[in-house]
Amino acid sequence: MELTLEKHDQMMLFKISNGEDLKKEFCTKLPIVDIIEQMGSFVSQKYKTNIKEIEMKNGSYAATKRFVGLATVNKLKTGWSRQLLQTIVRLDLKYVEELISLKQADLEEFNERIGIPRNSLLDRLSEKQRHHCSILKCPMGRNDSIEKSRATPVVHPQLNVCVDHFKKNTAFTDGRYKSSQEIRKAYEKAPRVSFKDVTKSKVETPEFTNKGSKKLREQHGLSLCIIGAAGAGKTTMTKRMVTTCMDEKKMPFLIPFAQIDKDERWSVKTLLTKFLCRFHDLKPSEEEIDEAFHWILANQEKCFLIFDGLDQSSFVISNEPIENPDINDEFLPGDLMSLLLSRKFLPNTRIAVTSRPHSLVQFAPAIQPDIVVFLNDLLSDDVEKLMNHYLDNGTASEMLEKLRTKSPRIHQLTRNPLLLRLIALLSNEKGENVWTYVSTIAKLFFEVVDLLQLSAHHERGDIDVEVLNRKLAAMAFYKIIEGSVVFEQSDLERYGLSGENVQDFLFGVLSSNHNNRTSNNALLVGLLEVFFYFHHQSTQEFFSARFVLEQLPVGEFEEFVGKLFPRLEKGADGKLKVGEDSFANLRVFVIGMVNEMKNRHQLDEDEILRKKNIFINFLCDHLRQLFVEEARGVMEHQRQMWVDMMDFRDEELNREIRQHLNDFNFLFNFGYLPVAAHREGFFHFMQHFVSNVRYLWLDIDEWSDDEIRRLFQSIQSSTAKIEEMEILMNPQQLEQWSDHVVAILPHLTRKLELVLDGDVDERTCSCVNLELRFLGGDERACRKLKEGIINFDTSNLQTEELKVEVVEIRGIGHTLLDVVLRRGQPPQFNN
């Protein structure tokens, strides 16, 4: 083996230290005083004297250990290991020579263990961290079993780079209340990076090739901040980062901000060693701490510092890093983190900080991370993997498909790891009856809240559950009205609440002027000055909606309901425009609460009736303004209202809404509906709320068979009369669904136009009602549809007479088929 002097020294030290038996034998057999006398300048006179004194006082074994310790902390001259071997050979110490001579197997083990000896402090710390990171938490606040944690599929949320994060503030970092749609939209075009980019894992083919991805893969000494909402998976991701680093021969250091005392001084060495040893209940010697830190300094590119939960920190990171600091000095945590983030210490080590978005807003340029990464939603495949793991019965694909069709809003929530697990937990508790509870998002949260309040730690509270819920609802609502998701201790006190009372739903974060050392438990029981956040924004919205329906006086209710719907105004071009939809999420919960009014709330019947009528009036007025000819510019909001109204499940309530809209002619000028949730929303809306349609245009060419079936069923099962309907489909669909096309004829009053996408011959036709035009098709499709018209019972027509005309428009536009349908008479073919 050809090794550099430095590499030879590292390997020699590794071999001597890699196992207590060898180290003990080496220290016992080596005549250390004779050795150091012949090693010349490789051991300074100062240390020679020190070693001799130890030998005289404590014997050769202790003196040799001192020699090894000096080598570990780089107090010997580079090349000392070769000089040691040469000296051993000269002294004819063959047994010792054989004991420590380097072999190929030593090199392989050195590389495998990245130079960390067995049972050294870093080795023990690695094992402690691996064990800690192998245990995940359930939503009830308890640890999962090791077996369940290890069996949990390794999935990661989508990771988006926040380009120019500190200039554009794209993550709403100031604690403002924003709808989830607005947050998602801020990142929908943001470049993506992979988990392997974050951990700088070796991959043959990178998943992404954008600037952020390349930077993460190519530069190790980066600082990055990983931001995300509560429940997005930040802490779980840090644990995955630790185990991934270990598997890939790196040394991670996972440090929770909440455990760092703001008044306790730390050096880099003591933070990475003593602090973590205390956290993991290790008791190292000073010699072991020195050895560990010198390995860190010599192997910065193999280290990864991970600080979890900046928003839980008891201190503020200084925006002005100290000038000319000494790495051996001790600093307050705010200054030490400032020095690490500014890269004055350990510049070649990657540093990651996790946080909710708002905690970064005050970072000055000197400490701003090189990259900010946002934890977005889980991908569909990963949602299914996790759901399969957490469900006790049934399959995830079956449940997710039902959620997609029955409640797209809840289906969307499964992309958040925390809420996914709560939904799975509810399914395990309720079994097949779960569909009773997940029909609307409001019902889901009612049940989830009940589950959480039945957990063991809730029993320690000193407040009645119903009283607690009313206070939480009031507090949540008025904060949303303020436009905030941040609760101060004074907010809790105003409603007579403590940290212990709210621990099921709110997460405590130490404020920056806290003066005492604390633990996670202290955050929850209200002993300290803290900020609070609901575990997920949807929970705050749920409690706010409860307040609106249960406690808000009727007059104030009427005033607030007007704010639930965005303003619709015509622009200078005459097109309708939608204003800011600030309460889009809250609107869905209020819809669910209105739906549940008569079942869940013990309100005065007169108050129930008045609030319900107020809400229906506002809703119907909004719909009348929305589905009109000038609405091409607000189609996204139209589609969103379809999905929102899927949470109306009470048939009596649905009939009332339809009655309010009975005289209104809807205009659905959509064409293509690429989002499955919008299609599901349309089916529900058409079936339950529509009586008259002036015009409906849909492109169903890429729809599934099940969706096409539900389209026709929603029309057939409704009472709607449709004046004009245009459907774009392919010839195969026409042949397959011609019977359904004929079946909806009784709902048409003027025209159904089928536009076929495909090749056409002169005999090809697709026809219903007044006009049919062709961009493609085949003879079989036309024949089957024609047979359907021949057999159609014209007594079911909405009008006295309909003219059916098939026109070939490819060429000269001559008529291919001319049929007159009169009520109660057979079709009359004129050609």
Short mmCIF file of all heavy atoms in Angstrom, two decimals, residues 366-409:
data_model
loop_
_atom_site.label_atom_id
_atom_site.label_comp_id
_atom_site.label_asym_id
_atom_site.label_seq_id
_atom_site.Cartn_x
_atom_site.Cartn_y
_atom_site.Cartn_z
N ALA A 366 -25.63 37.88 6.46
CA ALA A 366 -24.43 37.20 6.96
C ALA A 366 -24.72 35.78 7.42
O ALA A 366 -23.82 34.92 7.39
CB ALA A 366 -23.82 37.99 8.11
N ILE A 367 -25.94 35.50 7.83
CA ILE A 367 -26.25 34.15 8.34
C ILE A 367 -27.31 33.43 7.51
O ILE A 367 -27.73 32.34 7.86
CB ILE A 367 -26.72 34.21 9.82
CG1 ILE A 367 -28.03 34.99 9.95
CG2 ILE A 367 -25.63 34.81 10.70
CD1 ILE A 367 -28.67 34.85 11.32
N GLN A 368 -27.73 34.05 6.42
CA GLN A 368 -28.74 33.40 5.59
C GLN A 368 -28.16 32.13 4.96
O GLN A 368 -27.01 32.13 4.50
CB GLN A 368 -29.22 34.35 4.49
CG GLN A 368 -30.10 35.47 5.01
CD GLN A 368 -30.46 36.50 3.96
OE1 GLN A 368 -30.09 36.36 2.79
NE2 GLN A 368 -31.16 37.54 4.36
N PRO A 369 -28.94 31.05 4.93
CA PRO A 369 -28.44 29.80 4.36
C PRO A 369 -28.21 29.91 2.86
O PRO A 369 -28.80 30.76 2.19
CB PRO A 369 -29.55 28.80 4.68
CG PRO A 369 -30.78 29.63 4.85
CD PRO A 369 -30.32 30.94 5.43
N ASP A 370 -27.35 29.03 2.35
CA ASP A 370 -27.07 29.03 0.91
C ASP A 370 -28.30 28.62 0.11
O ASP A 370 -28.51 29.09 -1.00
CB ASP A 370 -25.92 28.06 0.61
CG ASP A 370 -24.62 28.48 1.28
OD1 ASP A 370 -24.22 29.65 1.11
OD2 ASP A 370 -24.02 27.66 1.99
N ILE A 371 -29.11 27.73 0.66
CA ILE A 371 -30.30 27.23 -0.03
C ILE A 371 -31.42 27.07 0.99
O ILE A 371 -31.20 26.60 2.10
CB ILE A 371 -30.02 25.88 -0.72
CG1 ILE A 371 -29.05 26.06 -1.89
CG2 ILE A 371 -31.31 25.25 -1.24
CD1 ILE A 371 -28.76 24.79 -2.65
N VAL A 372 -32.63 27.46 0.59
CA VAL A 372 -33.83 27.20 1.40
C VAL A 372 -34.69 26.22 0.63
O VAL A 372 -34.99 26.41 -0.55
CB VAL A 372 -34.62 28.50 1.67
CG1 VAL A 372 -35.88 28.20 2.47
CG2 VAL A 372 -33.75 29.51 2.42
N VAL A 373 -35.07 25.14 1.30
CA VAL A 373 -35.87 24.08 0.68
C VAL A 373 -37.20 23.98 1.41
O VAL A 373 -37.25 23.94 2.64
CB VAL A 373 -35.12 22.73 0.75
CG1 VAL A 373 -36.00 21.61 0.20
CG2 VAL A 373 -33.82 22.81 -0.03
N PHE A 374 -38.28 23.95 0.65
CA PHE A 374 -39.64 23.88 1.21
C PHE A 374 -40.16 22.45 1.11
O PHE A 374 -40.11 21.83 0.04
CB PHE A 374 -40.57 24.82 0.44
CG PHE A 374 -42.01 24.75 0.88
CD1 PHE A 374 -42.39 25.25 2.11
CD2 PHE A 374 -42.98 24.18 0.06
CE1 PHE A 374 -43.71 25.20 2.52
CE2 PHE A 374 -44.31 24.12 0.46
CZ PHE A 374 -44.67 24.63 1.69
N LEU A 375 -40.65 21.91 2.23
CA LEU A 375 -41.27 20.59 2.24
C LEU A 375 -42.71 20.73 1.77
O LEU A 375 -43.56 21.25 2.48
CB LEU A 375 -41.25 19.97 3.65
CG LEU A 375 -40.10 19.01 3.94
CD1 LEU A 375 -38.79 19.79 3.98
CD2 LEU A 375 -40.32 18.29 5.26
N ASN A 376 -42.96 20.25 0.56
CA ASN A 376 -44.28 20.34 -0.04
C ASN A 376 -45.07 19.06 0.27
O ASN A 376 -44.70 18.29 1.14
CB ASN A 376 -44.14 20.57 -1.55
CG ASN A 376 -45.24 21.46 -2.10
OD1 ASN A 376 -46.37 21.39 -1.67
ND2 ASN A 376 -44.89 22.29 -3.06
N ASP A 377 -46.11 18.81 -0.50
CA ASP A 377 -46.94 17.62 -0.26
C ASP A 377 -46.21 16.33 -0.62
O ASP A 377 -45.25 16.33 -1.40
CB ASP A 377 -48.22 17.71 -1.11
CG ASP A 377 -49.14 18.82 -0.64
OD1 ASP A 377 -49.05 19.21 0.53
OD2 ASP A 377 -49.96 19.29 -1.45
N LEU A 378 -46.70 15.23 -0.08
CA LEU A 378 -46.25 13.91 -0.49
C LEU A 378 -46.74 13.62 -1.91
O LEU A 378 -47.80 14.10 -2.33
CB LEU A 378 -46.80 12.83 0.44
CG LEU A 378 -46.24 12.75 1.86
CD1 LEU A 378 -47.11 11.84 2.71
CD2 LEU A 378 -44.80 12.26 1.86
N LEU A 379 -45.98 12.83 -2.65
CA LEU A 379 -46.43 12.37 -3.96
C LEU A 379 -47.47 11.27 -3.77
O LEU A 379 -47.52 10.59 -2.74
CB LEU A 379 -45.25 11.85 -4.76
CG LEU A 379 -44.19 12.90 -5.16
CD1 LEU A 379 -42.96 12.21 -5.74
CD2 LEU A 379 -44.78 13.88 -6.16
N SER A 380 -48.29 11.07 -4.80
CA SER A 380 -49.40 10.10 -4.71
C SER A 380 -48.92 8.71 -4.36
O SER A 380 -49.51 8.03 -3.51
CB SER A 380 -50.16 10.07 -6.04
OG SER A 380 -50.72 11.32 -6.33
N ASP A 381 -47.85 8.23 -5.01
CA ASP A 381 -47.35 6.89 -4.73
C ASP A 381 -46.90 6.75 -3.28
O ASP A 381 -47.11 5.71 -2.65
CB ASP A 381 -46.19 6.54 -5.66
CG ASP A 381 -46.65 6.31 -7.09
OD1 ASP A 381 -47.87 6.18 -7.31
OD2 ASP A 381 -45.80 6.25 -8.00
N ASP A 382 -46.29 7.80 -2.75
CA ASP A 382 -45.82 7.76 -1.36
C ASP A 382 -46.98 7.82 -0.37
O ASP A 382 -46.92 7.20 0.70
CB ASP A 382 -44.84 8.90 -1.11
CG ASP A 382 -43.54 8.73 -1.87
OD1 ASP A 382 -43.21 7.58 -2.21
OD2 ASP A 382 -42.86 9.74 -2.15
N VAL A 383 -48.02 8.55 -0.73
CA VAL A 383 -49.23 8.56 0.11
C VAL A 383 -49.77 7.15 0.23
O VAL A 383 -50.12 6.68 1.32
CB VAL A 383 -50.30 9.50 -0.51
CG1 VAL A 383 -51.65 9.30 0.20
CG2 VAL A 383 -49.87 10.95 -0.39
N GLU A 384 -49.82 6.44 -0.89
CA GLU A 384 -50.36 5.08 -0.88
C GLU A 384 -49.49 4.14 -0.06
O GLU A 384 -49.99 3.30 0.69
CB GLU A 384 -50.50 4.56 -2.31
CG GLU A 384 -51.21 3.24 -2.40
CD GLU A 384 -51.62 2.87 -3.80
OE1 GLU A 384 -51.67 3.77 -4.67
OE2 GLU A 384 -51.88 1.68 -4.05
N LYS A 385 -48.16 4.30 -0.16
CA LYS A 385 -47.25 3.45 0.63
C LYS A 385 -47.48 3.65 2.12
O LYS A 385 -47.58 2.69 2.89
CB LYS A 385 -45.80 3.78 0.27
CG LYS A 385 -45.35 3.32 -1.09
CD LYS A 385 -43.91 3.77 -1.35
CE LYS A 385 -43.47 3.45 -2.76
NZ LYS A 385 -42.10 3.96 -3.04
N LEU A 386 -47.54 4.92 2.54
CA LEU A 386 -47.73 5.19 3.97
C LEU A 386 -49.10 4.73 4.44
O LEU A 386 -49.24 4.17 5.53
CB LEU A 386 -47.57 6.69 4.23
CG LEU A 386 -46.15 7.23 4.38
CD1 LEU A 386 -46.19 8.72 4.70
CD2 LEU A 386 -45.38 6.49 5.46
N MET A 387 -50.12 4.99 3.63
CA MET A 387 -51.47 4.60 4.03
C MET A 387 -51.57 3.08 4.17
O MET A 387 -52.18 2.58 5.13
CB MET A 387 -52.48 5.11 3.00
CG MET A 387 -53.93 4.91 3.40
SD MET A 387 -54.44 5.91 4.83
CE MET A 387 -54.77 7.48 4.04
N ASN A 388 -50.97 2.36 3.26
CA ASN A 388 -50.96 0.90 3.36
C ASN A 388 -50.30 0.43 4.66
O ASN A 388 -50.73 -0.53 5.29
CB ASN A 388 -50.21 0.29 2.17
CG ASN A 388 -51.15 -0.08 1.03
OD1 ASN A 388 -52.28 -0.49 1.26
ND2 ASN A 388 -50.69 0.07 -0.19
N HIS A 389 -49.24 1.14 5.05
CA HIS A 389 -48.52 0.76 6.27
C HIS A 389 -49.35 1.00 7.52
O HIS A 389 -49.37 0.17 8.44
CB HIS A 389 -47.21 1.56 6.35
CG HIS A 389 -46.47 1.38 7.64
ND1 HIS A 389 -45.83 0.20 7.97
CD2 HIS A 389 -46.27 2.22 8.68
CE1 HIS A 389 -45.27 0.32 9.16
NE2 HIS A 389 -45.51 1.54 9.62
N TYR A 390 -50.06 2.13 7.56
CA TYR A 390 -50.77 2.50 8.79
C TYR A 390 -52.17 1.91 8.89
O TYR A 390 -52.74 1.85 9.98
CB TYR A 390 -50.83 4.02 8.92
CG TYR A 390 -49.50 4.64 9.25
CD1 TYR A 390 -48.92 5.59 8.41
CD2 TYR A 390 -48.80 4.26 10.39
CE1 TYR A 390 -47.68 6.15 8.71
CE2 TYR A 390 -47.58 4.82 10.70
CZ TYR A 390 -47.01 5.77 9.86
OH TYR A 390 -45.79 6.31 10.15
N LEU A 391 -52.74 1.48 7.78
CA LEU A 391 -54.08 0.89 7.84
C LEU A 391 -54.00 -0.53 8.40
O LEU A 391 -53.16 -1.33 7.99
CB LEU A 391 -54.71 0.84 6.45
CG LEU A 391 -55.26 2.15 5.88
CD1 LEU A 391 -55.78 1.92 4.47
CD2 LEU A 391 -56.35 2.73 6.76
N ASP A 392 -54.89 -0.84 9.33
CA ASP A 392 -54.96 -2.20 9.86
C ASP A 392 -55.72 -3.12 8.93
O ASP A 392 -55.43 -4.32 8.83
CB ASP A 392 -55.64 -2.20 11.24
CG ASP A 392 -54.78 -1.54 12.30
OD1 ASP A 392 -53.56 -1.41 12.07
OD2 ASP A 392 -55.33 -1.16 13.35
N ASN A 393 -56.72 -2.56 8.24
CA ASN A 393 -57.56 -3.38 7.36
C ASN A 393 -57.78 -2.64 6.04
O ASN A 393 -57.79 -1.41 6.00
CB ASN A 393 -58.93 -3.65 8.00
CG ASN A 393 -58.80 -4.40 9.32
OD1 ASN A 393 -58.36 -5.54 9.35
ND2 ASN A 393 -59.18 -3.75 10.41
N GLY A 394 -57.96 -3.42 4.98
CA GLY A 394 -58.21 -2.82 3.69
C GLY A 394 -56.93 -2.34 3.02
O GLY A 394 -55.84 -2.43 3.58
N THR A 395 -57.09 -1.85 1.82
CA THR A 395 -55.93 -1.38 1.06
C THR A 395 -56.01 0.12 0.88
O THR A 395 -57.09 0.70 0.82
CB THR A 395 -55.88 -2.05 -0.33
OG1 THR A 395 -57.05 -1.66 -1.08
CG2 THR A 395 -55.83 -3.56 -0.20
N ALA A 396 -54.84 0.73 0.77
CA ALA A 396 -54.77 2.18 0.61
C ALA A 396 -55.39 2.60 -0.71
O ALA A 396 -56.07 3.63 -0.77
CB ALA A 396 -53.31 2.63 0.69
N SER A 397 -55.15 1.84 -1.76
CA SER A 397 -55.67 2.24 -3.07
C SER A 397 -57.19 2.34 -3.05
O SER A 397 -57.78 3.27 -3.61
CB SER A 397 -55.21 1.25 -4.16
OG SER A 397 -55.66 -0.06 -3.85
N GLU A 398 -57.81 1.37 -2.37
CA GLU A 398 -59.28 1.39 -2.27
C GLU A 398 -59.75 2.60 -1.47
O GLU A 398 -60.68 3.32 -1.88
CB GLU A 398 -59.75 0.11 -1.60
CG GLU A 398 -61.26 0.04 -1.41
CD GLU A 398 -61.69 -1.21 -0.65
OE1 GLU A 398 -60.80 -1.98 -0.20
OE2 GLU A 398 -62.90 -1.40 -0.48
N MET A 399 -59.10 2.87 -0.34
CA MET A 399 -59.52 3.98 0.50
C MET A 399 -59.27 5.32 -0.19
O MET A 399 -60.13 6.21 -0.16
CB MET A 399 -58.77 3.94 1.83
CG MET A 399 -59.21 5.05 2.78
SD MET A 399 -58.57 4.81 4.44
CE MET A 399 -59.55 6.04 5.33
N LEU A 400 -58.11 5.46 -0.81
CA LEU A 400 -57.78 6.73 -1.46
C LEU A 400 -58.70 7.00 -2.64
O LEU A 400 -59.06 8.16 -2.89
CB LEU A 400 -56.31 6.73 -1.89
CG LEU A 400 -55.29 6.75 -0.75
CD1 LEU A 400 -53.89 6.47 -1.27
CD2 LEU A 400 -55.34 8.09 -0.02
N GLU A 401 -59.06 5.95 -3.38
CA GLU A 401 -59.97 6.14 -4.50
C GLU A 401 -61.35 6.59 -4.00
O GLU A 401 -61.99 7.47 -4.59
CB GLU A 401 -60.09 4.86 -5.31
CG GLU A 401 -61.05 4.93 -6.49
CD GLU A 401 -60.68 6.00 -7.52
OE1 GLU A 401 -59.51 6.42 -7.55
OE2 GLU A 401 -61.57 6.44 -8.28
N LYS A 402 -61.79 5.99 -2.89
CA LYS A 402 -63.08 6.41 -2.33
C LYS A 402 -63.01 7.86 -1.85
O LYS A 402 -63.95 8.64 -2.05
CB LYS A 402 -63.47 5.49 -1.17
CG LYS A 402 -64.02 4.15 -1.60
CD LYS A 402 -64.54 3.35 -0.41
CE LYS A 402 -65.14 2.03 -0.83
NZ LYS A 402 -65.65 1.25 0.33
N LEU A 403 -61.90 8.22 -1.22
CA LEU A 403 -61.74 9.61 -0.77
C LEU A 403 -61.73 10.56 -1.96
O LEU A 403 -62.29 11.65 -1.90
CB LEU A 403 -60.45 9.76 0.03
CG LEU A 403 -60.45 9.21 1.46
CD1 LEU A 403 -59.06 9.35 2.07
CD2 LEU A 403 -61.47 9.94 2.32
N ARG A 404 -61.07 10.13 -3.04
CA ARG A 404 -60.98 11.01 -4.22
C ARG A 404 -62.36 11.29 -4.79
O ARG A 404 -62.65 12.42 -5.21
CB ARG A 404 -60.11 10.35 -5.29
CG ARG A 404 -59.85 11.25 -6.50
CD ARG A 404 -59.04 10.54 -7.55
NE ARG A 404 -59.80 9.51 -8.21
CZ ARG A 404 -60.68 9.73 -9.20
NH1 ARG A 404 -60.91 10.97 -9.61
NH2 ARG A 404 -61.33 8.75 -9.76
N THR A 405 -63.22 10.27 -4.80
CA THR A 405 -64.55 10.46 -5.38
C THR A 405 -65.56 11.01 -4.38
O THR A 405 -66.45 11.76 -4.77
CB THR A 405 -65.07 9.12 -5.94
OG1 THR A 405 -65.09 8.14 -4.90
CG2 THR A 405 -64.18 8.63 -7.07
N LYS A 406 -65.42 10.64 -3.11
CA LYS A 406 -66.40 11.06 -2.10
C LYS A 406 -66.05 12.40 -1.47
O LYS A 406 -66.92 13.19 -1.14
CB LYS A 406 -66.53 10.00 -1.01
CG LYS A 406 -67.17 8.69 -1.45
CD LYS A 406 -67.16 7.68 -0.32
CE LYS A 406 -67.84 6.38 -0.73
NZ LYS A 406 -69.28 6.55 -0.92
N SER A 407 -64.75 12.65 -1.26
CA SER A 407 -64.34 13.89 -0.58
C SER A 407 -62.93 14.30 -1.02
O SER A 407 -61.94 14.00 -0.36
CB SER A 407 -64.37 13.69 0.94
OG SER A 407 -64.06 14.91 1.60
N PRO A 408 -62.83 14.98 -2.16
CA PRO A 408 -61.51 15.42 -2.66
C PRO A 408 -60.74 16.27 -1.66
O PRO A 408 -59.51 16.25 -1.64
CB PRO A 408 -61.86 16.22 -3.92
CG PRO A 408 -63.17 15.66 -4.37
CD PRO A 408 -63.89 15.32 -3.11
N ARG A 409 -61.46 17.02 -0.82
CA ARG A 409 -60.77 17.85 0.17
C ARG A 409 -60.00 16.99 1.16
O ARG A 409 -58.85 17.29 1.50
CB ARG A 409 -61.79 18.71 0.93
CG ARG A 409 -62.34 19.86 0.15
CD ARG A 409 -61.32 20.96 0.03
NE ARG A 409 -61.92 22.16 -0.51
CZ ARG A 409 -61.26 23.30 -0.72
NH1 ARG A 409 -59.97 23.35 -0.43
NH2 ARG A 409 -61.86 24.35 -1.22
#
